[in-house]
Amino acid sequence: MENLIALLVAAPLLGAAVLLCGGRRLDAVGHWLGTALAAASFVIGVVLFADMAGKDAEHREIGQHLFSWIPVEGFQADVAFQLDQLSMTFVLLITGVGSLIHVYSIGYMEHDERRRRFFGYLNLFLAAMLLLVLADNYLLLYVGWEGVGLASYLLIGFWQHKPSAATAAKKAFLVNRVGDMGLSIAIMLMFTTFGTFAFGPVLESTGETSEGMLTAIGLMLLLAACGKSAQVPLQSWLGDAMEGPTPVSALIHAATMVTAGVYLIVRSGEIFNAAPDAQLAVTVVGAVTLLFGAIVGCAKDDIKKALAGSTMSQIGYMILAAGLGPIGYVFAIMHLVTHGFFKAGLFLGAGSVMHGMNDEVDMRKYGGLRKYMPVTFVTFGLGYLAIIGFPGLSGFFSKDKIIEAAFAKGGTEGWILGGVALLGAAITAFYMTRVMLMTFFGEERWQPAPDPDKAPSVEPGIEVHPGEMPHPHESPKVMTIPMIVLAVGSVFGGAFFSIGDRFIHWLEPVTDHAHGHPPISALAVTMSTVAVMVIGVGLAWLQYGRRPVPVVAPRGSLLTRAARRDLLQDDFNHVVLVRGGEHLTRSLVYVDHTLVDGVVNGTAATMGGLSGRLRRIQNGYARSYAVSMFGGAAILIAATLLMRAV
Amino acid sequence: MNPVNYLYLAALLFTIGATGVLIRRNAIVVFMCVELMLNACNLALVAFSRMHGNLDGQIIAFFTMVVAAAEVVVGLAIIVSLFRSRHSASVDDASLMKL
Amino acid sequence: MSFLLTATAALPALGAIATAAVPAAKRNAAKWLALIVSLATLVLAAIVLVRFDPGGDRYQLTESHAWIKDFGVRYELGVDGIAVALIALTALLIPFIILAGWHDADPLETGNKRWRPTQGFFALILAVEAMVIISFEATDVFLFYIFFEAMLIPMYFLIGGFGDRAHEHGEEAASTQRSYAAVKFLLYNLAGGLIMLAAVIGFYVVAGHFSLQTIAENGVPEMATSTERWLFLGFFFAFAVKAPLWPLHTWLPNAMQESTAPVAVLITAVVDKVGTFAMLRFCLQLFPEASKWATPAILVLALISIIYGALLAVGQRDMKRLVAYASISHFGFIIMGIFAMTSQGQSGATLYMVNHGISTAALMLVAGFLISRRGSRLIADYGGVQKVAPVLAGTFLIGGLATLSLPGLAPFVSEFLVLVGTFARYPVIGIIATLGIVLAALYTLVLYQRTMTGPVKAEVEGMPDLRVRELVVVAPLVVLLIFLGVYPKPVTDIVNPAVKQTLSDVQKQDPKPEVEAAK
């Protein structure tokens, strides 16, 4: 069984290699090959899962040592895998949702001439993501970590001819690099503290070092998580990342990659458990982001960007839960899985809508689509109910538990965090209802297709005739089936996990679990969650359901305008980092040219001037040269004699 | 005879040669004066060899002769070609090294 | 006693003479001859690699002959693991450089203003190869010095005589710029070399011999602290110019910008490595105490190089200059790794030399292919190349990703080792240096975005994709980058024992991890 682990990674990696190096010959079969290998990986995952489920809870962890990667005196990095319940959960989520999205992409990318390469990148992503969750040490995890960053970069910038896509891709990579810096510093700290960075030895010996050191490691890991999971203050890339094709947004920027930060924190649970300050920082980041994302989500008119805000906010919930320690780890992962289902479903639905609407993304130009795309409407609707936490659907179970755990943290912190989480739930209900109403209900506000020359943002390969009205239609089966599967997951997932605390028992041996005791009863928490959800939905209905939605966005309040600009964080970045950086580099180029080089050139010029004067001695008469020669010889001889005399 | 006398002679010849190099303008004469200086050195070397009783000085004297021979070949060639181009053998006329 | 090492250096030297002797009419024969000689040298280097036993003596395959007896100069060759790795790198890169520069020295078609000796170009490259290889092999300080300096002559002609003709202000400006760059290169390196010569003589006065092998047996000669420091500085200055280290770096951007891409690769990936190699071999071994004394200052300079080089790379408009500044940043990493005085740092630095050679070659050669298509080095003159030449763009991206040290590609391994090694002893410097990885991402991705993505520019349209010859150059480099990124063990196995030796020379031990120390 152990030997299958490497195959999990190898299958998509092989796909990526073949598809990217294969050339045009594979254009006809590339998408099938990519999908088949993703599915193969899923099948292997299922086999491993069946094997694991058949064992006792204590003996479920298996590992595979492939080879010694970087053997240097005192430094041992191996390519070795570790498959325990936590990794298994991720493997199934990644390969499962991944395979579905591969299938969906066959339809979505049908008209794109570079479809083969798209599947190559998707496979590359799967391989890197699996490496990330299967690694048995932090350095190998780092490889996967940057590998998914690369795949994300390539896929966001897939339509490279659009400058906005290329810029968004670059921004995503750069912001992630800042986070990666945190991860590499964390690894260095582990190396100097523990002499190793393998999960086992590091996490077992946390008790032998100071709390200060653990806090430092924890904060660095948090920085890494902030980058990858788009948490404040490194969240700015996620909205722009929506420039990528929609299946990419669904897979990478909703269901899997962006949750890697949560994985990292839960995986390093022992470090955080022993460092309360770092934990507090994690909860604060989570709480701030969950509000931040939710507020941004309320103001966006671009359906994908609204969903991106929502992703940010939902991951904020997970990070918050992960920061609560053993009372939250399990729920963080559970919300991660259910979120994987419903958010992927929502994105695929959004993609389906765009597919039918000439790739229009502005929700103000949608409306009344439920009649034209029934399947999309139903699946999207189920995902919507799941995310707002409608009782009985999966989001309800996972989010409710997180809010409960937040209250259970105790003290003032508990009240604040719980309150924030509740408020977030209300805003979630508001913005998701807004998306739902603007897209599928109300009157039809469709606009003629823009001229592609004037607005080059239209996705290529899809024929758009300028001035033509959209003809919304249901997407082909290859796209709707994955949506239906994901919708089923979003409906039943939560209940399935929660009955008999299945999920808790499954993860407990790895992440540890403590039952939290909220200051108010669990029932009260649940009631208030449902209540705030109803309020959120009601407010949204008042604003977008009862009144017609204007096609051109109204000016809006100060907060709305700020939220449309991602709460001005991009502007801050632009002014401070981009402008400041430009000035810095420009002045450094100047310094290098005038000062550093100037010193050298100045020396040369001085020498030149000096020799210009000395040159006058060269009068060209052989006699005078001879005189100077003889004079010199005479002086030398005189000096020698003089020295001898003394 | 006292070998030191040879050294006096060598010094005398050297001085004559040096003065010739400095004050004469005809390239051929300058050139011969250079030869005179070289031969003065040779004389001194041989005298030293005799005084110290070893052959080092004589060996170096042979070297000097070889160099002198080479110099004659190159130097005369230069003077001849200089004369051809400038129709003068005066060293002052060839002051092209001054820029 | 074997003559393998002599043969490895002599073969390209003889090849250079033979290539130069090929008549001008048969210029293709000269190209093929040079290529075959470089490949044969690669075979010899491979034999050296195989014959070298990592667990064996410090210096292996040694050769020793008296040369200038009166000054104790000997013709002494011998290789340790570090030298073997770098000889292999050199021998590996030269065939690619020759192949990439296949048409760089063809006679000018337009106007036929200047005569360009094609065979001379290839002969000079082989001459550089011979001198670089013998510098890596020499265990006699004086022998090393001779070839360290002699290298400048062929390099001078390669930069000044066969430079890049692409220039925004036309041919005439290019010619002026080129001679400026060549002279600057020569003057900088000569200045370093002369100071080193003084130190070499000083070393002889103190030690009475030049032999590293003798030092390995009998230990470092006794010398006064101040003498040791002055001599160290003399050696270090020359190597720091060659490496190059801030603030002695300004010759590199000019030289790389003005020479053709293959020659730029020759400068940064091959010749400059002699500088960093010599720091490891000569500075640390001959002057261990002074090395430790100078470490803080050198680390700060290296750190400045890293950040400063990266920031300047961000601000460049010319893509070759950009790569040059990126190289300065990378050399900062190498020097930092050497002077961190930890096994990880020094193993990382040695690996870094190898990996930087391969990754810069990949990036720079592809950039050269790109420039040869459009005739401009300015980044702003490109755009949307990805659409018309996807393979070219793909390889360019891989080269770029290697430059920014993406995990999975070779440079990551070395960069991380250097960072960890530095961090273990100097945490603050290690953390600041980590900023370099963010900046590296910035300049690489900005370069890629501006040249390869976006709408296709009119001048770029119809640009052909990589040709077979160009693919033959790039593909092996890409494969190597991936292979050494995934499985660097073959190189680390060779390098590790040598690094251990060097560390014991300077009597430094790795810091122990905190937890283990507590136990």
Side-chain angles (χ1 to χ4, degrees):
Chain A
M1 273 301 146
E2 286 82 3
N3 295 331
L4 283 181
I5 303 178
L7 273 184
L8 269 177
V9 184
L13 196 61
L14 175 77
V18 169
L19 290 176
L20 293 178
C21 304
R24 301 239 155 89
R25 274 151 288 165
L26 291 174
D27 274 353
V29 292
H31 47 287
W32 292 113
L33 183 71
T35 313
L37 283 165
S41 195
F42 178 63
V43 171
I44 299 169
V46 170
V47 170
L48 282 166
F49 173 70
D51 179 64
M52 181 182 277
K55 293 186 199 160
D56 298 342
E58 285 78 36
H59 301 106
R60 280 178 173 163
E61 185 184 323
I62 55 175
Q64 182 185 12
H65 184 274
L66 273 189
F67 56 87
S68 173
W69 180 28
I70 314 177
V72 169
E73 188 81 16
F75 180 95
Q76 190 66 37
D78 293 333
V79 176
F81 299 126
Q82 165 188 338
L83 183 66
D84 57 11
Q85 290 91 325
L86 181 60
S87 311
M88 194 73 234
T89 314
F90 272 90
V91 166
L92 290 179
L93 177 74
I94 295 161
T95 54
V97 176
S99 303
L100 287 175
I101 286 169
H102 272 76
V103 173
Y104 177 90
S105 307
I106 293 175
Y108 191 84
M109 301 298 285
E110 196 178 351
H111 303 289
D112 197 303
E113 52 179 0
R114 293 159 72 231
R115 179 163 64 163
R116 169 180 57 85
R117 197 178 302 182
F118 180 79
F119 277 85
Y121 292 158
L122 274 188
N123 272 358
L124 178 69
F125 167 75
L126 279 191
M129 189 71 203
L130 287 169
L131 189 65
L132 195 164
V133 298
L134 287 170
D136 93 327
N137 61 65
Y138 282 97
L139 198 63
L140 193 60
L141 181 145
Y142 187 65
V143 176
W145 191 266
E146 289 236 325
V148 290
L150 169 67
S152 159
Y153 169 77
L154 293 169
L155 285 165
I156 296 172
F158 187 72
W159 289 314
Q160 291 181 325
H161 58 96
K162 291 183 357 190
S164 57
T167 308
K170 182 188 69 185
K171 182 174 176 187
F173 198 95
L174 281 178
V175 176
N176 267 297
R177 263 270 152 141
V178 177
D180 296 349
M181 216 177 105
L183 186 53
S184 53
I185 293 176
I187 297 175
M188 291 189 243
L189 280 169
M190 286 176 202
F191 178 73
T192 50
T193 315
F194 304 107
T196 174
F197 34 76
F199 290 147
V202 168
L203 298 177
E204 276 159 25
S205 40
T206 47
E208 290 167 49
T209 184
S210 64
E211 192 188 311
M213 180 56 77
L214 290 174
T215 308
I217 296 178
L219 289 177
M220 286 297 124
L221 290 175
L222 175 64
L223 178 64
C226 284
K228 192 88 357 186
S229 294
Q231 300 294 295
V232 176
L234 298 180
Q235 84 298 345
S236 63
W237 63 273
L238 188 63
D240 295 358
M242 296 301 130
E243 287 287 340
T246 310
V248 171
S249 312
L251 177 62
I252 300 184
H253 305 119
T256 54
M257 183 189 86
V258 285
T259 58
V262 183
Y263 171 79
L264 183 70
I265 291 176
V266 173
R267 176 59 82 191
S268 317
E270 275 89 344
I271 294 175
F272 285 95
N273 291 346
D277 292 343
Q279 263 188 333
L280 184 66
V282 174
T283 52
V284 169
V285 165
V288 169
T289 312
L290 87 83
L291 284 184
F292 187 103
I295 294 170
V296 170
C298 292
K300 293 283 183 188
D301 289 332
D302 178 327
I303 185 168
K304 285 177 77 181
K305 293 204 168 159
L307 289 176
S310 155
T311 305
M312 224 183 267
S313 160
Q314 297 302 312
I315 296 172
Y317 272 107
M318 300 172 208
I319 295 276
L320 168 64
L324 294 172
I327 55 171
Y329 292 142
V330 174
F331 302 127
I333 300 297
M334 187 160 125
H335 192 56
L336 191 155
V337 175
T338 55
H339 174 258
F341 286 129
F342 56 67
K343 186 53 68 60
L346 287 170
F347 265 110
L348 294 191
S352 177
V353 169
M354 287 159 59
H355 206 65
M357 294 290 290
N358 288 349
D359 279 304
E360 181 58 68
V361 288
D362 190 347
M363 293 188 289
R364 293 190 184 275
K365 297 173 184 162
Y366 292 166
L369 289 174
R370 64 181 188 281
K371 283 174 288 188
Y372 301 95
M373 343 182 125
V375 183
T376 306
F377 168 62
V378 172
T379 53
F380 195 93
L382 289 173
Y384 154 73
L385 291 177
I387 193 174
I388 64 170
F390 192 80
L393 274 71
S394 57
F396 166 76
F397 290 100
S398 49
K399 197 187 289 177
D400 179 53
K401 291 284 186 198
I402 291 179
I403 296 172
E404 203 181 303
F407 277 114
K409 178 153 172 81
T412 331
E413 289 158 45
W415 283 104
I416 295 173
L417 293 174
V420 167
L422 264 183
L423 181 60
I427 307 178
T428 308
F430 176 83
Y431 68 72
M432 280 315 296
T433 312
R434 174 174 175 270
V435 169
M436 197 69 196
L437 291 172
M438 284 172 86
T439 307
F440 292 102
F441 296 88
E443 76 261 38
E444 298 164 2
R445 302 179 300 274
W446 310 341
Q447 301 292 313
D451 187 351
D453 294 334
K454 282 179 193 149
S457 72
V458 174
E459 297 182 5
I462 296 168
E463 280 180 40
V464 175
H465 305 290
E468 193 188 353
M469 287 302 280
H471 305 286
H473 53 84
E474 190 52 87
S475 299
K477 282 229 167 52
V478 74
M479 287 168 69
T480 50
I481 289 174
M483 288 154 59
I484 295 168
V485 175
L486 286 170
V488 170
S490 355
V491 173
F492 300 110
F496 176 78
F497 290 148
S498 296
I499 292 168
D501 288 344
R502 265 191 203 144
F503 205 75
I504 296 178
H505 293 311
W506 167 250
L507 273 186
E508 199 176 19
V510 184
T511 61
D512 208 3
H513 180 69
H515 196 68
H517 299 283
I520 44 177
S521 77
L523 187 68
V525 174
T526 310
M527 295 296 286
S528 34
T529 313
V530 175
V532 297
M533 177 201 85
V534 173
I535 295 171
V537 172
L539 283 175
W541 184 75
L542 282 176
Q543 191 168 355
Y544 299 97
R546 278 193 348 165
R547 280 184 279 169
V549 180
V551 177
V552 177
R555 201 168 134 79
S557 69
L558 211 58
L559 180 65
T560 317
R561 272 179 282 151
R564 279 194 196 127
R565 306 187 63 118
D566 296 318
L567 293 178
L568 302 180
Q569 214 242 350
D570 264 356
D571 302 72
F572 174 81
N573 284 352
H574 190 76
V575 171
V576 176
L577 297 176
V578 179
R579 287 273 176 74
E582 274 171 8
H583 283 298
L584 179 66
T585 52
R586 224 173 285 154
S587 45
L588 273 181
V589 169
Y590 182 75
V591 165
D592 198 56
H593 194 71
T594 48
L595 217 67
V596 182
D597 225 16
V599 170
V600 179
N601 287 341
T603 317
T606 315
M607 294 302 264
L610 200 63
S611 46
R613 303 239 160 78
L614 285 175
R615 194 174 65 182
R616 300 209 180 131
I617 299 171
Q618 308 276 92
N619 55 14
Y621 293 113
R623 286 170 288 135
S624 67
Y625 300 147
V627 168
S628 57
M629 228 169 84
F630 281 116
I635 291 169
L636 269 182
I637 291 168
T640 321
L641 290 176
L642 207 68
M643 291 305 276
R644 198 140 329 133
V646 178
Chain B
M1 202 162 73
N2 187 358
V4 178
N5 290 336
Y6 289 99
L7 292 182
Y8 289 133
L9 178 62
L12 197 63
L13 285 175
F14 191 87
T15 318
I16 292 169
T19 319
V21 168
L22 290 182
I23 62 172
R24 294 305 297 258
R25 297 195 179 169
N26 189 317
I28 304 282
V29 177
V30 170
F31 188 67
M32 277 160 60
C33 289
V34 171
E35 291 298 314
L36 194 60
M37 284 159 70
L38 282 172
N39 283 325
C41 292
N42 271 352
L43 184 60
L45 285 168
V46 173
F48 284 137
S49 176
R50 171 80 179 183
M51 284 159 75
H52 294 298
N54 64 19
L55 286 178
D56 287 2
Q58 294 194 26
I59 291 170
I60 300 179
F62 274 111
F63 271 108
T64 318
M65 283 178 205
V66 174
V67 171
E71 195 202 325
V72 169
V73 174
V74 178
L76 275 181
I78 292 175
I79 291 169
V80 169
S81 65
L82 201 69
F83 185 76
R84 275 195 189 146
S85 63
R86 298 184 172 262
H87 303 290
S88 142
S90 167
V91 284
D92 285 3
D93 282 350
S95 58
L96 281 179
M97 275 168 81
K98 184 182 71 175
L99 275 172
Chain C
M1 185 174 286
S2 79
F3 294 98
L4 187 56
L5 292 185
T6 305
T8 315
L11 182 65
L14 294 176
I17 295 169
T19 310
V22 173
K26 296 182 178 166
R27 102 177 37 90
N28 276 326
K31 294 176 182 177
W32 282 104
L33 180 65
L35 183 62
I36 291 167
V37 168
S38 68
L39 287 173
T41 313
L42 179 59
V43 172
L44 281 181
I47 297 175
V48 172
L49 195 65
V50 173
R51 292 267 299 274
F52 181 81
D53 167 26
D57 292 342
R58 172 158 197 177
Y59 294 113
Q60 297 183 24
L61 306 169
T62 50
E63 295 171 33
S64 182
H65 306 278
W67 184 24
I68 309 176
K69 276 205 189 107
D70 291 345
F71 300 110
V73 178
R74 299 181 66 81
Y75 177 78
E76 247 184 22
L77 303 181
V79 284
D80 58 2
I82 300 169
V84 164
L86 290 172
I87 290 171
L89 170 75
T90 307
L92 181 81
L93 286 180
I94 298 292
F96 295 123
I97 289 173
I98 289 177
L99 211 51
W102 204 249
H103 296 302
D104 280 358
D106 285 354
L108 300 173
E109 289 147 20
T110 50
N112 205 7
K113 268 184 276 179
R114 274 174 304 122
W115 172 70
R116 304 221 303 176
T118 311
Q119 65 276 47
F121 180 71
F122 295 97
L124 288 172
I125 292 178
L126 287 179
V128 172
E129 178 180 24
M131 292 179 191
V132 169
I133 288 182
I134 206 160
S135 321
F136 287 140
E137 291 170 344
T139 55
D140 184 283
V141 178
F142 197 77
L143 185 67
F144 169 82
Y145 173 76
I146 290 174
F147 289 101
F148 181 77
E149 284 296 272
M151 229 179 273
L152 301 180
I153 301 163
M155 283 315 301
Y156 171 78
F157 287 112
L158 279 173
I159 298 170
F162 300 91
D164 200 335
R165 276 171 295 142
H167 195 281
E168 49 185 313
H169 301 305
E171 190 106 339
E172 205 59 34
S175 166
T176 320
Q177 286 273 328
R178 198 155 62 226
S179 20
Y180 172 73
V183 170
K184 196 171 180 182
F185 163 82
L186 194 68
L187 285 183
Y188 261 85
N189 282 283
L190 268 183
L194 286 180
I195 291 176
M196 182 183 166
L197 178 63
V200 168
I201 295 169
F203 177 77
Y204 177 72
V205 170
V206 178
H209 66 87
F210 285 119
S211 167
L212 275 187
Q213 297 185 16
T214 314
I215 290 175
E217 279 165 33
N218 305 339
V220 185
E222 293 275 326
M223 53 184 112
T225 315
S226 61
T227 320
E228 190 188 346
R229 288 179 184 172
W230 281 112
L231 293 181
F232 169 84
L233 288 179
F235 276 75
F236 185 80
F237 184 76
F239 304 148
V241 168
K242 186 121 304 162
L245 183 67
W246 187 89
L248 305 170
H249 63 275
T250 48
W251 64 269
L252 185 72
N254 284 84
M256 279 179 78
Q257 174 189 25
E258 297 307 330
S259 46
T260 59
V263 174
V265 173
L266 193 67
I267 297 172
T268 184
V270 177
V271 171
D272 285 354
K273 293 296 180 310
V274 181
T276 45
F277 164 80
M279 287 181 195
L280 256 178
R281 183 176 259 188
F282 295 103
C283 285
L284 295 194
Q285 270 187 54
L286 300 179
F287 316 108
E289 290 307 315
S291 301
K292 280 188 268 186
W293 161 76
T295 294
I298 293 173
L299 281 178
V300 169
L301 288 181
L303 187 63
I304 295 176
S305 279
I306 293 173
I307 305 293
Y308 184 87
L311 280 174
L312 275 163
V314 176
Q316 295 306 317
R317 293 158 55 230
D318 178 315
M319 58 175 101
K320 280 161 104 182
R321 256 183 112 77
L322 188 151
V323 179
Y325 278 107
S327 284
I328 290 168
S329 175
H330 289 147
F331 278 112
F333 273 108
I334 297 177
I335 295 170
M336 193 172 85
I338 293 173
F339 282 90
M341 308 273 186
T342 52
S343 330
Q344 299 90 38
Q346 293 192 344
S347 291
T350 313
L351 264 180
Y352 212 128
M353 293 184 217
V354 175
N355 294 339
H356 171 259
I358 302 172
S359 69
T360 307
L363 183 64
M364 192 72 186
L365 291 180
V366 179
F369 299 148
L370 186 66
I371 292 167
S372 70
R373 281 162 168 70
R374 168 80 173 78
S376 165
R377 299 190 305 247
L378 291 185
I379 296 170
D381 283 351
Y382 296 86
V385 175
Q386 196 272 339
K387 189 95 175 167
V388 286
V391 180
L392 190 151
T395 46
F396 191 72
L397 180 63
I398 294 179
L401 291 174
T403 303
L404 63 78
S405 296
L406 188 85
L409 297 174
F412 167 74
V413 176
S414 39
E415 189 158 307
F416 197 80
L417 280 173
V418 166
L419 284 173
V420 160
T422 311
F423 185 84
R425 214 184 281 281
Y426 307 96
V428 177
I429 290 184
I431 288 176
I432 301 175
T434 326
L435 268 178
I437 70 171
V438 179
L439 292 172
L442 183 61
Y443 61 71
T444 317
L445 295 183
V446 168
L447 172 65
Y448 183 78
Q449 186 194 350
R450 297 213 176 130
T451 51
M452 298 297 169
T453 69
V456 182
K457 285 215 169 155
E459 299 90 343
V460 170
E461 243 167 81
M463 186 182 269
D465 210 336
L466 286 189
R467 301 185 180 90
V468 176
R469 170 180 65 89
E470 295 165 337
L471 258 183
V472 168
V473 172
V474 178
L477 293 175
V478 168
V479 170
L480 257 179
L481 281 176
I482 297 174
F483 177 76
L484 288 181
V486 176
Y487 196 64
K489 193 163 179 287
V491 186
T492 54
D493 280 354
I494 293 176
V495 167
N496 282 342
V499 165
K500 211 170 166 181
Q501 278 284 354
T502 312
L503 272 182
S504 73
D505 285 340
V506 289
Q507 289 149 6
K508 276 272 189 181
Q509 280 180 337
D510 288 334
K512 283 264 173 289
E514 190 187 307
V515 167
E516 208 170 276
K519 280 174 189 166

